[in-house]
Amino acid sequence: MDKWGPHWIQASQDSRLPAEFEVTDYCYSCDSDKKNVLAVQVFRWSDGSYLEDQDHWWLSGIHRDVLLLSKPQVFIADYFFKSNLAGNFSYADIEVEVKIDCSRETSKDKVLTNFIIEAALYDAGSWYNHDGNIDLLSSNVANIRLKPFPTGTLGFHGYMLVGKLEKPKLWSAEQPNLYTLVIILKDASGNIVDCESCLVGIRQVSKAPKQLLFNGHPVVIRGVNRHEHHPRLGKTNIESCMVKDLVVMKQNNINAVRNSHYPQHPRWYELCDLFGMYMIDEANIETHGFDLSGHLKHPTQEPSWAAAMMDRVIGMVERDKNHACIFSWSLGNESGYGPNHSASAGWIRGRDPSRLVHYEGGGSRTPSTDIVCPMYMRIWDIVKIAKDPNETRPLILCEYSHSMGNSNGNIHEYWEAIDNIFGLQGGFIWEWVDQGLLKANDNGSKYWAYGGDFGDSPNDLNFCLNGLTWPDRTPHPALHEVKYVYQPIKVSLTETMIKIKNTNFYETTEGMEFKWAAHGDGCELGCGILSLPVIEPQGSYEIEWKSGPWYPLWVSSDAEEIFLTITAKLLHSKRWVEAGHVVSSTQVQLPAKRDTLPHIIKTKDDVLSAEILGDNIRISQQKLWEITLNMKTGSLDGWKVEGVPIMKNGVFPCFWRAPTDNDKGGGLSSYYSSWKAADMDDIVFLTESCTIQNKTEHLVKILVVYLGIHKGENGTLTELAKADALIKMDLLYTIHSSGDIIMDSVVKPISNLPPLPRVGVEFHLEKSVDQVRWYGRGPFECYPDRKAAAHVGVYEQTVDGMHVPYIVPGESGGRADVRWVTFQNKDGYGIYASTYGISPPMQMNASYYSTAELDRATRNEELIKGDYIEVHLDHKHMGIGGDDSWTPCVHEKYLIPAVPYSFSIRLCPVTAATSGQSIYKSHLQN
C-alpha cells in the first residue's frame, strides 16, 4: 500500500504470536486525498505448518486481533519488569528494562539527552478503598529511578530503572495481588511523549530438591490443559468465554493451566493474573506428524530448522514475560528431542532465569527441562521416579486423566499418591473443553460436530472431544470428582480422631465457615455450624470424633450406617464466585455400632394366589399386586401394583454395556475388541429350564436357568448350542405373599472370557414409571473408579435427568453403591429394589435408551427413546478408566474377572403411601 501501488511488506508464519510490520513508509499522510488500503493475505499452509501439528481443529484464518497502531517518532518499544525478593520476602528489588525505539529521529546515544524515562509502581488495590478519589502519590509504592547508564543484556539494548518495594504483597494463585506498572517517556521539557502500563505481580519462582517453589512454598499444581476453543467461533477467542473458563475453573478448585499447545490470546494472560491461575506458557511447536515419517530427519535435529524453532520460543517469551501467572516456559509439545531444544532452553535460561523450563519430549527427563513432566504415566511409575534419589527435579504431569467421554476413572488414586509422596507436585488434566463445533442439521436442529462432520479428511473423528466440560462449558459429571480431589480442605477419619487439614499455602481458614451434617441410613439426624479455630496454611486441627456435636446423635441412632459430612464455604464473595460457595466437602463413615447382619424379609401370613394359565403363572395378593411369569422363558411378563402396570418384562441376566471411548481405545488390544472376539457383544440368553421349586400359601419359588449363547446361532437350545454357551446363570425367584421378590443369582462363566463389562440383571419398566429415588452415591453420575466426590445419600431424579448427553453415546448415567432404589409414576405406584442378604451395594442405571441404542448411535442427537425404561442393577460394574484413552487401562481392582459370582436383590411393590426408606429399614436386623 505504498505511494506507487500495492506493495508486499512482510510475512509471518507463527499463527499464534503477534506479527508486527512497520508500514510508515508505505502510507499516504493524513492530509493526502488518497486512501490507504490495508490488505492481508492468509496462506493456509507453509513450511511453518510442519511445526504446528497439534491435535486440534486445523482452522484457517486469523485468530487474533488486528489493529493499526500509531506511535510517536521516539517511543517505548518494549519493557521487562523484574522483582528480586529478599530471602525473607520483606522487600523486593525492582528492575525495569526499557527499550526505546528512536530509529526514525535520533541516535541512541542522544536519547537521554533529549528525553526522560520514568517508571512508577502503584498499589492498585488501594484505589478501590476510596470513593472515586484516587491518591496516586500515596499509592506509588516504589521509588523507581533510571540507572545512570544504559545496559545491554542478551540483545535487549535498553535502559534500566531500579527501585525498592518494602513489604510487598506477593502474587499467588490463592492471593493474586497485583501492582500497576506505568512507564513514561517525556521530552526534555517534561511533556509526555509516550507511556505504557500493565499489571505486574511480585513473586519468586525457584527450585529445591524435588520441589518447585513459589514464594518459597512447594505449591501443588491442580491443573488442566486448555486449548483455545469457542463452540461457534472455533479458535477465535472472546473475553466472555475466557472469563467463563476461569470462573468455572476456580469454582472447581483448579489453580493452574497449561496453554496447550501454543501461546494464547494476550487477554487470557491478563485474566489469569487477575483471577489467580498458575500457568505454563507453551511455544507453538508440535511436530507430531514426523513420528510417521521415519525416512525424514526430525526438524529438531536439523540446523536448518533451528532459527524457526528458536523464533517461536523467543517470540513467546518476549511477548509474555511480564505476566506474574507464568511460572514456566514450555518449549512446545510432542516434538521429539534434539539440539534445537537445547538451544531454545539455553536461550530462555539466559534471558529469563526467574522461571523454569518445561519440555516433555525425549522422555520428560532431558537436560532441557527443569521439571520431570511425563504425560499419562501410570501411578506406580511416577512414584518410582519420585523415590529415585538420583532425580532431583519435581514431577508434575503435563497431561494425565484423559477426559474423553465418560472417563477420569482412577484420578483419586493419582491424588492419594500426589498428596502423600514427596517429589510429586501435581499435574494438568487433559483437557478442559470438548472441542465440538455447533452445527445445524438439514432440519435446523443443532448438534456438536466433530471430525468428519464438515467433509474434512483426514480427520480424527471424536478425538477432539476430551474435555471436562461440553463445548458451551457445561461441566461433565467428572468435574465434580476433579473438584473433590483438588479441594484444599482435606478431612480424614482415624480410629479416634477427625483431622481437618488446610492444604493452602497462603490462605488461612478465616474466610470460611465449616458445617457438619450427620445422616443415618439416608435420613438426616442433625446438622450445624462446626466451630473451629483458624487453621493456618499447611496446618491442621484434630477433633476426637466422640466429642463432636454429632456424637449424641450417633449414640441414640439405630441406623445401620451413619455418615458425617463436613463442608467449608466461603464467607465472602470473590472475583470468581459469590459468598456461600462450597470450597470443600468431605463425607466420612462413622464407626458401626454393631456388626452388620444380613438383610431379611419379615414375612406376613397373607395368602397369595398362584394360578397357571397356559405358559404363564399368575401370582397375586388380592388386588394389591399381580405378577405374571412366563414359565417357558422365565421372564416376568408383567407386574401390576393395584392394577397399574409397572414392569413390562424382565428379569434378564446382563453382562454387556454400551462401550465407552475408553473401552474402545487400544485397537485390537482394547476391551471392546476382546469382548467382541469372545462374542460378548452378541450374547442372547435362552432359558434352559424354568421350574417351580416350592409352592405354599405364603410363597412360590421358581428357578430359571439361563444359558448365554452367541446370537448368531438359532434361537433353540440344541446340545451343540449348550456346549458353546459362554455363561450360565441360575436365577431363583422367591415370591412372598407380601409382594416381596427375592432374586438369588448364581453366575458361572463357562468359556474362557476376558474381564466382564458388568454382572447384573436388566428389566424393563413402563415409560410412565419415570421418578427415580435412591439411597446411594450421587446426585451426579458416578462409577466404581470415579465416586470419591459422590456422597452417600437419598437423591431424586427423573429418568430423563439421569441421562448424561455425552456427544458420542456410550455407557453413562450410572450411580454407584446404591442400597435401595424406587421407580414410581406420578401417582406413586412403582417398585422398590435393594440389595439383600449379604450382597454389597449395587451399580444402578435407568434410561429410555437401551444399551443397544447407546451402542448404535454415533452422537447424542441420534438416540431414539425406546418403548420402555431399561433398568440395570449390577452386582459388579467394571470401572471406566481414564489413565488414557488408547490402551486398556482400567486398574485391576476395578476389573471384573470372569469367575463365579452370587448375589441377591429384593424387589417389592410401592405406592404413594410407602417409602423406600421404610421398606429398607424393615429388612434390617436391629
Side-chain angles (χ1 to χ4, degrees):
M1 57 180 193
D2 66 349
K3 302 176 176 65
W4 302 278
H7 187 92
W8 179 269
I9 298 173
Q10 256 181 315
S12 171
Q13 289 190 343
D14 191 322
S15 63
R16 306 293 163 183
L17 285 174
E20 296 182 0
F21 308 119
E22 172 62 80
V23 299
T24 304
D25 293 339
Y26 308 104
C27 293
Y28 296 109
S29 62
C30 296
D31 56 2
S32 171
D33 58 356
K34 296 183 178 181
K35 290 184 177 180
N36 291 302
V37 177
L38 174 63
V40 178
Q41 186 174 12
V42 177
F43 292 90
R44 184 171 191 183
W45 309 111
S46 71
D47 56 2
S49 302
Y50 289 104
L51 297 178
E52 299 189 13
D53 191 22
Q54 293 93 345
D55 291 328
H56 66 152
W57 287 99
W58 292 349
L59 300 179
S60 301
I62 300 174
H63 311 302
R64 297 285 183 258
D65 302 334
V66 178
L67 55 92
L68 196 61
L69 182 66
S70 175
K71 295 290 270 183
Q73 296 290 306
V74 179
F75 62 94
I76 302 168
D78 199 4
Y79 57 94
F80 191 178
F81 175 84
K82 302 176 184 179
S83 58
N84 299 306
L85 280 158
N88 60 0
F89 303 104
S90 61
Y91 68 89
D93 289 322
I94 305 299
E95 295 180 353
V96 185
E97 291 183 19
V98 180
K99 182 179 179 181
I100 303 296
D101 189 319
C102 56
S103 59
R104 305 189 65 85
E105 183 170 287
T106 184
S107 62
K108 286 185 172 59
D109 57 0
K110 291 187 177 180
V111 168
L112 294 182
T113 303
N114 300 329
F115 296 92
I116 303 166
I117 307 170
E118 296 178 352
L121 192 67
Y122 296 100
D123 182 358
S126 67
W127 297 352
Y128 302 100
N129 300 326
H130 297 80
D131 300 328
N133 299 313
I134 299 170
D135 185 355
L136 284 178
L137 190 61
S138 64
S139 62
N140 186 349
V141 291
N143 183 25
I144 302 176
R145 293 287 183 265
L146 182 71
K147 268 193 173 183
F149 54 88
T151 181
T153 305
L154 290 173
F156 193 112
H157 184 74
Y159 305 89
M160 180 74 77
L161 294 93
V162 297
K164 189 172 184 179
L165 175 61
E166 298 286 352
K167 298 180 181 178
K169 299 175 182 177
L170 303 183
W171 187 96
S172 67
E174 295 173 35
Q175 298 176 336
N177 298 305
L178 291 169
Y179 294 86
T180 300
L181 173 69
V182 178
I183 303 168
I184 301 172
L185 179 67
K186 297 179 179 179
D187 62 21
S189 301
N191 300 310
I192 295 177
V193 175
D194 193 17
C195 63
E196 293 287 345
S197 179
C198 75
L199 294 173
V200 295
I202 311 296
R203 85 286 183 276
Q204 180 191 81
V205 179
S206 58
K207 294 181 293 182
K210 291 186 180 292
Q211 288 184 318
L212 154 71
L213 301 179
F214 209 93
N215 300 332
H217 295 295
V219 297
V220 178
I221 301 300
R222 301 180 173 111
V224 69
N225 283 270
R226 177 187 184 266
H227 264 294
E228 290 183 312
H229 182 78
H230 189 280
R232 287 185 297 103
L233 305 177
K235 307 306 292 186
T236 301
N237 267 221
I238 55 176
E239 183 166 337
S240 60
C241 187
M242 299 183 222
V243 171
K244 177 72 170 179
D245 281 348
L246 284 168
V247 166
V248 180
M249 286 178 187
K250 294 286 285 188
Q251 289 178 357
N252 287 281
N253 296 324
I254 292 167
N255 71 356
V257 65
R258 176 180 174 224
N259 292 342
S260 51
H261 298 292
Y262 39 80
Q264 303 198 359
H265 192 286
R267 183 58 174 158
W268 173 245
Y269 299 77
E270 296 172 354
L271 292 169
C272 287
D273 287 340
L274 279 166
F275 280 81
M277 189 67 63
Y278 300 121
M279 179 188 289
I280 291 180
D281 201 12
E282 192 151 275
N284 188 14
I285 300 174
E286 181 166 340
T287 62
H288 213 140
F290 279 88
D291 293 346
L292 306 176
S293 305
H295 62 292
L296 298 174
K297 196 171 182 181
H298 201 284
T300 190
Q301 304 283 347
E302 290 278 13
S304 58
W305 282 94
M309 292 179 67
M310 289 278 289
D311 181 67
R312 290 166 182 261
V313 171
I314 293 169
M316 170 187 68
V317 173
E318 294 294 2
R319 188 195 72 164
D320 301 332
K321 58 185 175 286
N322 292 314
H323 289 286
C325 59
I326 301 170
F327 71 87
S328 180
W329 304 110
S330 173
L331 305 179
N333 184 64
E334 294 179 342
S335 300
Y337 184 70
N340 294 343
H341 287 115
S342 300
S344 298
W347 185 89
I348 290 176
R349 286 166 174 157
R351 179 72 175 109
D352 182 20
S354 70
R355 295 180 174 97
L356 305 189
V357 179
H358 164 284
Y359 183 61
E360 181 272 340
S364 76
R365 299 176 73 175
T366 69
S368 293
T369 183
D370 298 317
I371 302 166
V372 178
C373 49
M375 53 173 64
Y376 309 109
M377 185 175 279
R378 302 303 189 250
I379 298 167
W380 44 91
D381 288 325
I382 64 173
V383 169
K384 190 182 300 181
I385 293 174
K387 292 183 176 180
D388 181 354
N390 297 315
E391 180 55 78
T392 61
R393 293 168 291 186
L395 189 149
I396 299 172
L397 289 150
C398 71
E399 295 176 22
Y400 81 108
S401 195
H402 198 260
S403 310
M404 190 173 183
N406 187 4
S407 188
N408 303 99
N410 314 316
I411 191 173
H412 67 287
E413 296 192 8
Y414 273 94
W415 281 87
E416 285 171 11
I418 292 167
D419 286 339
N420 292 288
I421 296 176
F422 180 73
L424 299 181
Q425 214 164 332
F428 298 87
I429 293 168
W430 187 267
E431 66 171 313
W432 177 239
V433 61
D434 282 341
Q435 295 177 58
L437 292 169
L438 200 61
K439 195 172 187 285
N441 276 320
D442 294 338
N443 62 9
S445 63
K446 295 180 179 179
Y447 65 95
W448 298 121
Y450 52 81
D453 286 340
F454 297 91
D456 47 309
S457 181
N459 63 72
D460 236 352
L461 295 175
N462 63 320
F463 214 76
C464 59
L465 307 177
N466 315 135
L468 289 169
T469 72
W470 276 274
D472 62 0
R473 275 52 176 187
T474 300
H476 282 191
L479 192 55
H480 293 287
E481 193 85 348
V482 172
K483 179 181 180 180
Y484 178 83
V485 297
Y486 281 7
Q487 65 187 11
I489 305 299
K490 309 287 187 183
V491 179
S492 58
L493 173 66
T494 63
E495 188 174 338
T496 59
M497 307 297 289
I498 289 177
K499 182 179 181 181
I500 302 172
K501 183 176 181 181
N502 176 14
T503 69
N504 285 319
F505 286 90
Y506 306 98
E507 291 270 89
T508 72
T509 60
E510 187 175 6
M512 297 179 188
E513 178 184 68
F514 288 85
K515 290 188 175 182
W516 67 272
H519 292 79
D521 294 337
C523 300
E524 184 174 289
L525 304 177
C527 61
I529 302 294
L530 183 59
S531 298
L532 297 175
V534 172
I535 305 174
E536 294 298 315
Q538 292 294 296
S540 61
Y541 183 75
E542 292 189 343
I543 309 169
E544 189 175 357
W545 76 265
K546 288 187 176 180
S547 67
W550 48 81
Y551 181 66
L553 303 173
W554 179 86
V555 170
S556 61
S557 174
D558 62 354
E560 182 178 54
E561 48 185 6
I562 298 176
F563 289 92
L564 174 66
T565 304
I566 295 178
T567 58
K569 296 183 178 182
L570 292 179
L571 288 170
H572 310 290
S573 297
K574 297 203 173 191
R575 181 173 273 119
W576 44 272
V577 78
E578 297 289 337
H581 169 73
V582 175
V583 174
S584 302
S585 181
T586 305
Q587 185 180 74
V588 296
Q589 186 170 2
L590 296 179
K593 295 167 66 176
R594 60 180 185 274
D595 293 337
T596 301
L597 300 174
H599 295 179
I600 60 169
I601 288 285
K602 296 173 182 176
T603 58
K604 299 180 180 179
D605 293 330
D606 297 330
V607 176
L608 55 74
S609 168
E611 55 182 328
I612 296 177
L613 304 170
D615 290 334
N616 296 326
I617 179 170
R618 182 188 297 161
I619 306 168
S620 61
Q621 209 281 308
Q622 297 181 3
K623 294 183 179 180
L624 297 178
W625 55 267
E626 177 186 290
I627 293 168
T628 302
L629 191 145
N630 188 312
M631 292 297 294
K632 216 170 182 182
T633 64
S635 68
L636 295 176
D637 284 354
W639 189 346
K640 295 179 181 179
V641 177
E642 295 187 8
V644 179
I646 299 299
M647 184 182 289
K648 294 195 74 164
N649 62 336
V651 174
F652 312 109
C654 189
F655 302 89
W656 178 248
R657 73 180 184 190
T660 64
D661 290 311
N662 289 347
D663 290 341
K664 297 173 185 176
L668 293 178
S669 67
S670 69
Y671 296 117
Y672 183 51
S673 293
S674 64
W675 294 336
K676 285 178 70 69
D679 293 326
M680 291 187 62
D681 63 325
D682 215 19
I683 290 180
V684 61
F685 283 92
L686 298 181
T687 307
E688 183 180 43
S689 63
C690 179
T691 56
I692 297 175
Q693 302 286 297
N694 190 14
K695 180 175 177 293
T696 71
E697 289 184 339
H698 307 299
L699 64 80
V700 176
K701 287 192 175 187
I702 300 172
L703 176 64
V704 185
V705 179
Y706 289 104
L707 287 180
I709 65 172
H710 181 237
K711 192 184 294 182
E713 301 166 9
N714 61 44
T716 59
L717 265 179
T718 64
E719 291 304 315
L720 183 61
K722 288 182 182 180
D724 292 335
L726 301 175
I727 299 178
K728 180 181 179 182
M729 179 166 165
D730 297 345
L731 178 55
L732 177 64
Y733 292 99
T734 303
I735 304 171
H736 294 269
S737 60
S738 60
D740 289 290
I741 300 178
I742 305 302
M743 300 187 303
D744 294 309
S745 302
V746 178
V747 175
K748 296 177 182 177
I750 298 173
S751 62
N752 186 23
L753 297 175
L756 307 174
R758 65 178 1 134
V759 173
V761 296
E762 168 191 335
F763 54 84
H764 303 155
L765 301 177
E766 297 286 346
K767 291 181 74 172
S768 60
V769 188
D770 64 344
Q771 308 296 310
V772 187
R773 195 164 189 258
W774 73 97
Y775 173 41
R777 293 193 180 272
F780 40 82
E781 172 196 81
C782 48
Y783 282 84
D785 55 353
R786 198 193 71 216
K787 64 181 183 180
H791 293 174
V792 175
V794 176
Y795 303 102
E796 294 182 63
Q797 187 56 271
T798 63
V799 171
D800 268 329
M802 297 281 283
H803 177 66
V804 180
Y806 292 111
I807 296 174
V808 176
E811 167 61 37
S812 59
R815 302 300 193 273
D817 295 342
V818 172
R819 281 77 165 160
W820 60 258
V821 56
T822 59
F823 304 95
Q824 295 171 277
N825 65 16
K826 61 182 177 59
D827 298 317
Y829 294 104
I831 65 169
Y832 162 98
S834 72
T835 56
Y836 189 71
I838 59 172
S839 293
M842 310 172 288
Q843 181 80 16
M844 180 270 293
N845 189 298
S847 177
Y848 287 118
Y849 307 111
S850 68
T851 300
E853 180 63 11
L854 291 167
D855 194 0
R856 179 199 66 82
T858 59
R859 62 183 74 254
N860 184 68
E861 290 73 20
E862 294 175 359
L863 289 171
I864 300 171
K865 289 185 176 180
D867 295 328
Y868 51 80
I869 296 168
E870 183 173 296
V871 176
H872 288 271
L873 302 177
D874 296 332
H875 171 62
K876 297 281 185 180
H877 196 104
M878 190 177 102
I880 52 173
D883 289 0
D884 63 42
S885 298
W886 47 90
T887 62
C889 58
V890 173
H891 290 199
E892 187 173 357
K893 69 174 79 172
Y894 304 114
L895 292 174
I896 308 173
V899 298
Y901 293 97
S902 60
F903 59 96
S904 300
I905 294 174
R906 176 191 183 188
L907 302 176
C908 72
V910 291
T911 66
T914 55
S915 71
Q917 278 144 319
S918 61
I919 298 172
Y920 180 71
K921 290 188 78 69
S922 72
H923 69 197
L924 299 181
Q925 296 189 58
N926 295 328

